[in-house]
Amino acid sequence: MAQLHHLPLLILLFFSAATAASARGTDEAHVSAVVAENGLAFAKDVLIGEAVRSLTPLRLPGVEKAVRVPFLGGVSVAASNITLFHLDVGDNSTVYPGDSGLVVVASGITANISMNWSYRYDSWLFPIEIADSGTASILVQGMEVGITMVIKNSNGSLALSVSQCGCYVKDLVISFYGGASWFYQGFINAFEDHIKAAVEKAIPENIIEGAGKLDSFLQGLPRTVNLDDVAALNMTFVNDPQYGNSSIEFDINGLITSAVAKTTNLQKHPHLSLSCGGVSKMLLLSLDEDVFNSALDVYFKAGSMHWVVDKVPEQSLLNTASWKFIIPRLYWNYPNDDMLLNISMASAPMIRITSEKIGATINADMIIDVADGKETVPVACISVVVSASGTVETSDNKVYGRVGLDDFSLALKWSKIGNIHMSLIQRVIRVFLNTVCMPYLNSRLGNGLILPVVHGFTLQDVYILTSAKQLTLCSDVIRTNASSLASSALL
């Protein structure tokens, strides 16, 4: 069969789509991703889960103070080893875009705290020190936590900061165990205010610390990703995220350039129109048709679009004997010699996206080579301009494609074997395109491409819409494991 040095036209097209790539110009964003309302709810649940894991166990500062007890007078009491070991957020939490950031509010939170307690009493009335100790369990009820996170563009990366964070504890239920614990319930007031204040101080501090780690993770994401040794994907963010009533939009420069070229941070945004056909999805990813055209341009300039055909279903067509009546001089000069078709792009293929289909125009030069003994001799060059169209489908987390031939035209560029009448070979070329080129492309596109996501997450129920100059992927997101978000990486 044909030997292909790099995946041809539409394989590259769908690979680019799956990796959320690029743009033609260097002054615009051509990739937009919208996290919709239920996507924000999913992100909120993930962040709350991360917060619970990072907050438990949480060691709180101990306390020692003097209290007055009836009949005894001043008594020194202490609480130590105070540990918040369980948090239950439940379902009573909300997330919404505010005026200046993303607001997350969780209310009705319960928590469990353990601690050790002790007291000592020493008086001139008694010759020895009186002391006792034990443990206590604390049930925190009606806790509410609110946080406002601001996400901004920082020199092409996302920077996350916390503008507001607060915690309020409504009530504590403290139960003492050990010693004469029934007698020491009067010590509760000595500990209650301290524990409330400690919880209300420690939780926001730890949330802000966790947000700092998430900020480092976001800013550490690569701005360029090498697709191979030829092309690189520019993942630079353009402008600040746009907050809607119930969604957030992120815009990516998305330029595919040479793997050795430097990219620049750009700040122009031609607002892309995102729609999922009225269906509620967590994530919408829109790619302009220039995304694919820039990728094709990079591979064309790198000289990667080269295809040598030495086997076809009708192998006799690659022997000069089959052409002795159509191209007589070919057979006279090279009788019964095998041939090769050396195909390369004359210009970068162009993609056009409409609501009905994805179309492509391919301008290729097909050089006819003759294997004359040990020597390969180029004898003619034919310009082939192909119009093709394809469709995109999804199944689970894979994207599949199919391409078909619409039309083509032929023109002789040069010949060492006399004039070649294009009308005489047009039927053979049509058969070649339909029986060799299109099936080969479809065999590759039919394998499907897994859409890349952050490690630990996967896309669910993906489907694709096309509109004027845009391709939009609509998807839900599910979590596949409980790995830490800050340690995740793009697949």
Side-chain angles (χ1 to χ4, degrees):
M1 277 300 291
Q3 296 176 346
L4 194 60
H5 296 286
H6 272 270
L7 294 181
L9 176 63
L10 288 180
I11 296 178
L12 179 59
L13 163 65
F14 291 111
F15 178 78
S16 301
T19 51
S22 83
R24 177 181 57 193
T26 59
D27 60 347
E28 294 182 345
H30 286 266
V31 177
S32 287
V34 169
V35 182
E37 183 175 7
N38 49 353
L40 288 177
F42 174 80
K44 175 259 300 179
D45 292 339
V46 171
L47 289 173
I48 288 176
E50 290 288 329
V52 169
R53 273 189 288 274
S54 65
L55 286 171
T56 52
L58 176 62
R59 181 64 66 88
L60 301 175
V63 60
E64 183 173 352
K65 60 170 56 178
V67 298
R68 295 195 62 81
V69 178
F71 307 110
L72 294 179
V75 177
S76 177
V77 297
S80 61
N81 197 24
I82 306 174
T83 304
L84 189 155
F85 63 89
H86 179 260
L87 273 172
D88 185 4
V89 177
D91 298 326
N92 194 14
S93 59
T94 59
V95 58
Y96 57 91
D99 295 334
S100 59
L102 190 64
V103 180
V104 179
V105 177
S107 57
I109 303 171
T110 60
N112 297 99
I113 299 175
S114 63
M115 76 173 191
N116 297 331
W117 62 267
S118 64
Y119 90 93
R120 68 178 185 275
Y121 175 72
D122 189 5
S123 172
W124 62 271
L125 294 175
F126 301 97
I128 60 174
E129 181 182 76
I130 300 174
D132 203 353
S133 63
T135 61
S137 64
I138 304 168
L139 175 63
V140 181
Q141 296 178 320
M143 182 163 62
E144 182 172 309
V145 177
I147 178 173
T148 300
M149 296 177 290
V150 178
I151 305 174
K152 289 186 174 293
N153 185 328
S154 176
N155 197 29
S157 296
L158 290 180
L160 182 144
S161 61
V162 176
S163 62
Q164 297 180 27
C165 185
C167 174
Y168 168 72
V169 175
K170 181 180 180 181
D171 193 22
L172 297 180
V173 178
I174 304 178
S175 300
F176 286 85
Y177 306 100
S181 56
W182 58 270
F183 179 71
Y184 305 121
Q185 292 293 323
F187 295 164
I188 287 178
N189 291 337
F191 302 130
E192 186 172 17
D193 291 342
H194 170 81
I195 294 172
K196 274 188 177 181
V199 170
E200 291 174 346
K201 180 175 183 291
I203 286 183
E205 288 178 347
N206 279 265
I207 289 176
I208 292 172
E209 180 183 350
K213 294 178 180 178
L214 182 56
D215 174 60
S216 298
F217 166 72
L218 292 174
Q219 296 204 45
L221 291 175
R223 298 190 195 179
T224 59
V225 177
N226 285 348
L227 303 179
D228 50 30
D229 58 352
V230 175
L233 167 64
N234 182 357
M235 293 295 293
T236 302
F237 286 87
V238 177
N239 294 330
D240 293 334
Q242 304 296 312
Y243 295 94
N245 292 332
S246 58
S247 63
I248 301 179
E249 178 179 339
F250 299 92
D251 301 308
I252 302 170
N253 173 266
L255 179 65
I256 288 184
T257 60
S258 168
V260 298
K262 293 184 178 180
T263 58
T264 57
N265 297 326
L266 311 170
Q267 302 299 323
K268 184 177 178 181
H269 171 232
H271 187 81
L272 299 180
S273 175
L274 297 185
S275 172
C276 246
V279 179
S280 177
K281 289 290 182 181
M282 292 183 181
L283 178 66
L284 291 76
L285 179 66
S286 178
L287 299 97
D288 190 271
E289 66 183 22
D290 288 340
V291 166
F292 313 110
N293 288 328
S294 69
L296 297 171
D297 187 62
V298 167
Y299 281 90
F300 168 73
K301 290 179 178 178
S304 300
M305 294 182 174
H306 182 212
W307 192 6
V308 177
V309 180
D310 58 0
K311 294 185 183 300
V312 295
E314 292 291 334
Q315 191 62 28
S316 62
L317 292 175
L318 291 182
N319 188 281
T320 58
S322 296
W323 299 87
K324 61 182 176 180
F325 298 115
I326 300 175
I327 312 175
R329 285 186 57 182
L330 173 63
Y331 179 72
W332 296 342
N333 294 345
Y334 307 98
N336 294 314
D337 283 338
D338 290 331
M339 301 188 306
L340 303 173
L341 300 180
N342 195 332
I343 302 173
S344 59
M345 297 297 109
S347 60
M350 294 295 294
I351 299 296
R352 292 290 179 264
I353 301 176
T354 68
S355 58
E356 291 80 23
K357 66 179 182 180
I358 300 174
T361 301
I362 309 165
N363 187 355
D365 287 338
M366 182 175 66
I367 296 177
I368 302 172
D369 291 333
V370 176
D372 186 20
K374 295 183 179 180
E375 185 180 4
T376 299
V377 181
V379 296
C381 178
I382 299 172
S383 173
V384 184
V385 179
V386 175
S387 296
S389 60
T391 58
V392 188
E393 298 177 354
T394 62
S395 177
D396 296 327
N397 293 334
K398 283 189 174 183
V399 177
Y400 302 87
R402 184 168 183 82
V403 62
L405 176 67
D406 291 339
D407 200 3
F408 70 97
S409 63
L410 304 174
L412 182 64
K413 297 190 74 170
W414 55 264
S415 173
K416 298 178 181 179
I417 50 176
N419 187 35
I420 301 175
H421 297 284
M422 296 297 101
S423 59
L424 297 179
I425 66 171
Q426 189 165 5
R427 177 180 173 276
V428 177
I429 297 299
R430 181 180 295 277
V431 171
F432 168 73
L433 292 173
N434 280 320
T435 61
V436 177
C437 297
M438 299 301 126
Y440 184 79
L441 286 172
N442 287 327
S443 69
R444 294 298 183 267
L445 296 172
N447 292 331
L449 293 166
I450 298 177
L451 296 173
V453 292
V454 174
H455 180 69
F457 298 85
T458 186
L459 302 181
Q460 186 179 55
D461 299 330
V462 182
Y463 72 94
I464 294 177
L465 300 174
T466 59
S467 57
K469 297 186 177 183
Q470 287 184 18
L471 183 146
T472 302
L473 292 86
C474 306
S475 176
D476 289 327
V477 182
I478 59 173
R479 196 166 192 182
T480 56
N481 61 51
S483 62
S484 172
L485 180 62
S487 63
S488 300
L490 286 174
L491 288 178

